[in-house]
Amino acid sequence: MSQRGAQVMSSGLPGEIVQLTMEHLWLVLLSITIAVGIALPMGVLLTRKRPLQGWVLGFANVVQTIPSLALFGFLIPLPLIGGIGQHTAIMALILYALLPVLRNTFTGILGIDPAVRESALAMGMTDGQLLRLVELPLAARTILAGVRVATVTTIGTATIAAAIGAGGLGVFIFRGLASVDSTLLLAGAIPAAAMALLADGGLGWIEKKFSPV
Amino acid sequence: MTPIVEFRGVSYRINGHHILRNLSFSLAAGETLVLLGRSGSGKTTALKMVNGLLFPTEGEVCVEGMPTTSWDPIRLKRRIGYVIQEAGLFPHFTVADNVGLVPKLEGWPPSRVRARTGELLEQVTLPPSEFSLRYPRELSSGQRQRVGVARALAADPALLLFDEPFGALDPVTRLELQNQFLALREQWGKTAMFVTHDVREAMRLGSRIGLLHHGALEALAPPEEFRRQHGDEAQAFLACLDLK
C-alpha cells in the first residue's frame, strides 16, 4: 500500500478520487465476474444433484456470516491465495458474492412452473436444451437479482479491502479514520455510495428487460 | 399388426406403495383409449409410462413393438405428442415458437416450421395472423389449450397422449374443445391415450374406456359396453352420468 499511497498523495484530491474509484471498480468487476462464473454453473449443478444442496448452500451461508475484516484476516496467512494485496481481497470478495448468485440461480430454476419443465422433457428436450431454452431464460430475472445484490454488497465490502493493502476507495476511509478527517472519509464514502446506486439502478434496469413470467 | 402401445404386466411401485398393479392392455392404430379414474388412481402414472417419463418397476411397456427401456429416450418422446392440463406452454415463447418447437428441435428448415405452424394454428381455429406473435399470457385458457394441442401435433406424431387436458376449462369451452378433438381425430386418424376423471368426457371421446381403481384396471370396454359394467367403481362413475 505504501507505494500506491505515495502515488496517490502526489496527485491532489480530485485525481486521487478518480484513481481510487477506478481501482475500486476493478476490484468489484473482477470479483463479480469470477463469482458469477463459479456460482452460476454451480447453481445449475445443484438443481441436478440435489444431495449436494445442503453442503454447498451451507458453505456459502457460513462464509456470508464471517465478518469481512475477519475474513480478510483469515485469508492472509493462507499459502497461494493469501498474503497482502489485491489477490487476497479479490478472493474474499468472490467468497461473499457467491451466495446471492448461487442461491438465486438455484431458486430461480427450481421456481419454474413444474408443468413447463415437464412439457419440455415430454417434448424430448435434452438436458442442455432444457437449460438453454427454458430454465435459464425463465430464471434470468431471479439470477440477475442475485447478481445485483452481490454487486452492491461487493462495492461496500471492497472498501474494507484497503485494510489489507488492496487499494480502492477504502484507502480514503481508513486514512480518514486514522486522521479523524471527515473530508477524507467522504471522499471515500460518496463515490462508493454513488457506484453502488449506479450499479443497482443499471442492473435493475436490465433485470426489468426480462419479462416477469 | 403390432399394437401402437402395449402394456405387459406393468406395475409401478414407489416407496413401497403400489401406484400401478399388473396392467395389461394394448392400443391399436387409430384408437382412442380413455383411462378413467379418480384422483390418485394411477392414470397419469400409466400415461407417463408410454413416453418414458416413467418406467415400470415390473413388466414392460412397448411402443411400436419395442420396450420403452430400449428406445432412445429423446427419440421416443419426440415421436409422441403430449398435452397436459393448463397446456404447460413456454411463457417466454410466442404461440408460433411454442407450436414450432419440436420441428425446430428436429432440425426442420425455418420456412417449413413456419408453414407447419400456420397450418396447425388454422386447424385449431386460432388464425395465425392474429395469434402467432402473442404470448401465452395473452390468451384465454381455452386458447392456451388449443395451442397445447397444436404443439403436440407439430412433428406429426403417430401417437398422442392427453393428461386431463380440458380439466381446468369452463364447461362450454370444454365442450368446444372436445368437439374439436373429435373433428381432428376424424381428420387424422391419430392414435390417442386420454386421461380424465370425467366419465362424460370418457364416453364422448373414447373408442374404449379403461377404468383404473387403486392402480388396477377394473374394466376395459367400448363406451356402450362400459355402461353395462357392474363393478362398484364402474357403478360409482356411471352414477355421475345420471345427474343431469
Side-chain angles (χ1 to χ4, degrees), chain B residues 85-98:
Chain B
Q85 193 171 348
E86 301 286 3
L89 297 180
F90 302 120
H92 58 308
F93 282 10
T94 60
V95 165
D97 289 341
N98 265 289

Side-chain angles (χ1 to χ4, degrees), chain B residues 23 56 100 107 125 190 192 225:
Chain B
L23 294 186
T125 61
K190 302 267 185 205
E225 223 176 287

Side-chain angles (χ1 to χ4, degrees), chain A residues 50-103:
Chain A
R50 301 292 183 85
L52 290 177
Q53 259 174 55
W55 292 100
V56 177
L57 288 176
F59 170 77
N61 266 319
V62 167
V63 169
Q64 206 80 27
T65 64
I66 305 174
S68 46
L69 208 47
L71 184 60
F72 287 128
F74 288 138
L75 289 177
I76 289 174
L78 295 181
L80 295 176
I81 56 166
I84 295 287
Q86 280 201 340
H87 58 289
T88 311
I90 288 167
M91 180 60 70
L93 295 177
I94 291 168
L95 286 173
Y96 279 120
L98 285 178
L99 180 66
V101 182
L102 187 64
R103 196 173 39 202

Side-chain angles (χ1 to χ4, degrees), chain A residues 6 21 35 43 61 121 136 150 158 160 184 188 190 204:
Chain A
T21 304
N61 266 319
L121 288 176
L136 287 180
I160 300 171
L184 279 176
I190 293 174

Side-chain angles (χ1 to χ4, degrees), chain A residues 118-191:
Chain A
E118 188 184 303
S119 63
L121 288 176
M123 290 170 84
M125 280 197 192
T126 61
D127 196 53
Q129 288 165 337
L130 175 67
L131 184 67
R132 192 163 42 85
L133 299 175
V134 178
E135 292 181 320
L136 287 180
L138 288 177
R141 209 178 149 104
T142 315
I143 295 171
L144 271 169
V147 174
R148 180 156 70 122
V149 170
T151 308
V152 173
T153 50
T154 301
I155 291 170
T157 314
T159 55
I160 300 171
I164 56 166
L169 289 163
V171 171
F172 279 136
I173 294 176
F174 280 104
R175 217 194 293 159
L177 280 172
S179 55
V180 201
D181 181 342
S182 53
T183 313
L184 279 176
L185 277 176
L186 290 174
I190 293 174

Side-chain angles (χ1 to χ4, degrees), chain B residues 2-233:
Chain B
T2 331
I4 302 285
V5 178
E6 190 176 6
F7 277 60
R8 293 182 188 154
V10 171
S11 293
Y12 185 66
R13 204 161 27 165
I14 187 165
N15 303 328
H17 294 284
H18 260 102
I19 311 292
L20 296 178
R21 296 163 200 267
N22 198 22
L23 294 186
S24 294
F25 57 85
S26 60
L27 207 63
E31 195 181 17
T32 300
L33 175 71
V34 176
L35 288 180
L36 177 67
R38 305 182 191 220
S39 314
S41 59
K43 50 198 194 305
T44 295
T45 307
L47 199 69
K48 287 180 177 173
M49 298 271 166
V50 179
N51 65 351
L53 284 174
L54 293 172
F55 294 100
T57 45
E58 283 158 63
E60 60 183 12
V61 177
C62 293
V63 173
E64 295 172 1
M66 190 155 82
T68 50
T69 44
S70 308
W71 276 86
D72 166 11
I74 303 290
R75 286 252 55 78
L76 177 65
K77 292 184 180 80
R78 290 201 191 156
R79 278 186 74 86
I80 300 176
Y82 190 63
V83 186
I84 58 177
Q85 193 171 348
E86 301 286 3
L89 297 180
F90 302 120
H92 58 308
F93 282 10
T94 60
V95 165
D97 289 341
N98 265 289
V99 174
L101 183 68
V102 176
K104 204 173 139 200
L105 293 179
E106 290 284 88
W108 293 20
S111 59
R112 192 169 155 218
V113 175
R114 224 176 0 254
R116 177 71 177 153
T117 306
E119 175 193 353
L120 283 163
L121 287 175
E122 290 286 0
Q123 274 163 353
V124 296
T125 61
L126 298 170
S129 55
E130 191 182 337
F131 288 96
S132 283
L133 298 178
R134 289 209 204 168
Y135 284 89
R137 63 175 173 277
E138 298 164 331
L139 304 177
S140 71
S141 49
Q143 289 167 340
R144 274 201 287 272
Q145 207 57 63
R146 289 190 171 121
V147 176
V149 172
R151 181 173 70 171
L153 288 164
D156 204 19
L159 173 65
L160 289 164
L161 305 178
F162 293 85
D163 188 4
E164 305 217 24
F166 309 146
L169 303 178
D170 64 80
V172 179
T173 311
R174 189 183 315 165
L175 190 65
E176 279 173 17
L177 279 167
Q178 287 171 352
N179 288 333
Q180 205 164 44
F181 174 87
L182 290 170
L184 288 176
R185 191 178 66 183
E186 196 74 13
Q187 204 174 330
W188 278 322
K190 302 267 185 205
T191 313
M193 225 167 126
F194 194 109
V195 158
T196 183
H197 54 226
D198 178 349
V199 64
R200 271 178 237 174
E201 187 164 78
M203 299 296 264
R204 275 179 61 83
L205 303 183
S207 43
R208 274 191 304 160
I209 298 173
L211 179 66
L212 276 179
H213 186 43
H214 295 315
L217 197 59
E218 295 253 314
L220 180 62
E224 290 322 302
E225 223 176 287
F226 185 79
R227 241 176 228 284
R228 297 190 295 269
Q229 293 287 324
H230 295 297
D232 287 348
E233 188 66 2

